[in-house]
Amino acid sequence: MDDKNAREILQSHGFKITFQRLSILKYLMTHKTHPTAEMIHADLTDISLATIYNTLDKFVDDGIVIVIDTHQDEKRHYDFYGEPHYHIINNVTKEIIDADNFDVEPLFKAAREVSGLNITGFHIEVYGVNPEDAK
């Protein structure tokens, strides 16, 4: 992901473009590892951990990134939400896997019918274990 795309995303969400915001967003756009704030800080050492947390909170509030709170490792993992996808979390290894092979339209339709709301997004986590680990 280039600098221009990250800048456009920040501008479209009304953010002032700063070195820190741009660096953190570009990191999330290019690292599909679902990092924690501490993991981001380990790679972006020129940005304070407090600034990383504050920036991530703003990005989450604005819908640029999502939090994956697995309750498995007691840490918040972050994911840039550029394309609709869901997450599969291995209960044993704690691995978070991106998947996009799910047609969300039936879910949106059902949610609209129940609530009367225009559905604007979703966050789905599916949990599982390897068959060998389930024995």
Side-chain angles (χ1 to χ4, degrees):
M1 214 35 77
D2 65 8
D3 215 49
K4 182 181 178 199
N5 289 341
R7 285 178 181 277
E8 288 173 356
I9 290 168
L10 289 174
Q11 286 175 330
S12 71
H13 286 267
F15 284 102
K16 179 180 175 189
I17 296 175
T18 65
F19 165 77
Q20 294 89 343
R21 288 178 182 152
L22 195 57
S23 297
I24 294 166
L25 181 57
K26 284 176 22 182
Y27 184 93
L28 288 169
M29 292 169 79
T30 57
H31 290 77
K32 303 298 182 189
T33 56
H34 308 99
T36 63
E38 291 80 9
M39 293 166 69
I40 296 169
H41 184 252
D43 288 337
L44 302 179
T45 57
D46 52 342
I47 303 173
S48 75
L49 184 57
T51 298
I52 290 172
Y53 270 112
N54 290 334
T55 301
L56 289 171
D57 285 345
K58 289 177 182 174
F59 286 172
V60 168
D61 288 346
D62 213 62
I64 296 174
V65 302
I66 60 171
V67 174
I68 305 166
D69 194 359
T70 65
H71 303 289
Q72 305 283 332
D73 62 3
E74 302 301 319
K75 296 181 182 174
R76 298 179 79 181
H77 296 262
Y78 297 89
D79 189 25
F80 171 67
Y81 201 67
E83 297 293 326
H85 64 279
Y86 65 98
H87 298 100
I88 306 164
I89 301 169
N90 184 316
N91 287 333
V92 176
T93 66
K94 316 304 185 241
E95 178 185 15
I96 303 169
I97 303 162
D98 286 334
D100 63 1
N101 62 339
F102 176 69
D103 180 9
V104 297
E105 190 51 43
L107 176 62
F108 284 7
K109 181 180 178 190
R112 276 191 301 270
E113 288 173 3
V114 168
S115 67
L117 299 174
N118 288 327
I119 306 304
T120 60
F122 70 98
H123 182 105
I124 298 172
E125 296 173 4
V126 177
Y127 295 85
V129 295
N130 288 323
E132 307 83 52
D133 295 330
K135 295 177 183 177

